[in-house]
C-alpha cells in the first residue's frame, strides 16, 4: 500500500479543520468546497474504497452514516436538508 492522503490526514500528518473526531472517524472541512458546507467524514482505519469493505464492516458503514447525520444536525442542516455522497 502506498501513501494515502486520508490516512495522513487522520494521523495528523496533514492539517485539517476538524469538525468531529473520535476513535473511528474524523470529519473535516473540504479545502476546496463545492457547497457552502462541505465536510468529509472518513474512517480512521484505511479502507481504499467501497469494494474493500468486508461483510463485517456493515457496522462501521452504518456508524459512518449516523456520524454524518449527527454532524449535519450540529451544522444546522437537518431542517433544510443536505446532500450525502459516497465516493469510491
Amino acid at each position: 500500500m502506498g501513501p494515502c492522503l486520508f490516512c495522513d490526514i487522520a494521523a495528523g500528518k496533514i492539517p485539517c479543520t476538524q469538525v468531529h473526531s473520535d476513535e473511528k472517524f474524523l470529519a473535516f472541512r473540504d479545502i476546496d468546497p463545492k457547497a457552502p458546507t462541505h465536510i468529509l467524514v472518513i474512517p480512521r482505519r484505511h479502507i481504499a474504497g467501497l469494494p474493500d469493505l468486508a461483510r463485517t464492516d456493515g457496522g462501521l458503514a452504518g456508524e459512518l452514516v449516523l456520524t454524518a447525520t449527527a454532524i449535519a444536525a450540529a451544522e444546522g442542516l437537518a431542517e433544510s436538508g443536505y446532500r450525502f455522497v459516497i465516493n469510491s
Side-chain angles (χ1 to χ4, degrees), residues 4-5 7-9 13 15-17 20 22 24-25 32 36 38-39 45 51 59 65 70 72 75 77 79 81-82 86:
C4 173
L5 173 67
C7 288
D8 286 347
I9 293 170
K13 296 177 184 175
C16 68
T17 304
H20 173 86
D22 64 28
K24 292 183 181 179
F25 305 106
D32 186 23
H38 188 165
I39 297 170
R45 189 181 96 217
V65 172
E75 291 285 317
L77 302 172
E79 294 256 340
Y82 53 91
I86 297 175

Side-chain angles (χ1 to χ4, degrees), residues 1 5 8 13 17 22 27 33 43 47 50 52 58 60 62 67 76 79 81 83 87:
M1 175 178 73
L5 173 67
D8 286 347
K13 296 177 184 175
T17 304
D22 64 28
I47 300 173
L50 292 176
D52 297 304
L60 181 73
T67 299
E79 294 256 340
R83 188 168 176 228
N87 292 323

Side-chain angles (χ1 to χ4, degrees), residues 16-69:
C16 68
T17 304
Q18 291 186 19
V19 295
H20 173 86
S21 179
D22 64 28
E23 66 280 349
K24 292 183 181 179
F25 305 106
L26 173 66
F28 55 94
R29 299 195 187 281
D30 194 298
I31 62 169
D32 186 23
K34 304 301 182 211
T37 302
H38 188 165
I39 297 170
L40 302 171
V41 183
I42 61 170
R44 289 193 176 275
R45 189 181 96 217
H46 177 78
I47 300 173
L50 292 176
D52 297 304
L53 287 172
R55 282 221 171 268
T56 56
D57 289 325
L60 181 73
E63 287 181 55
L64 186 140
V65 172
L66 293 173
T67 299
T69 300

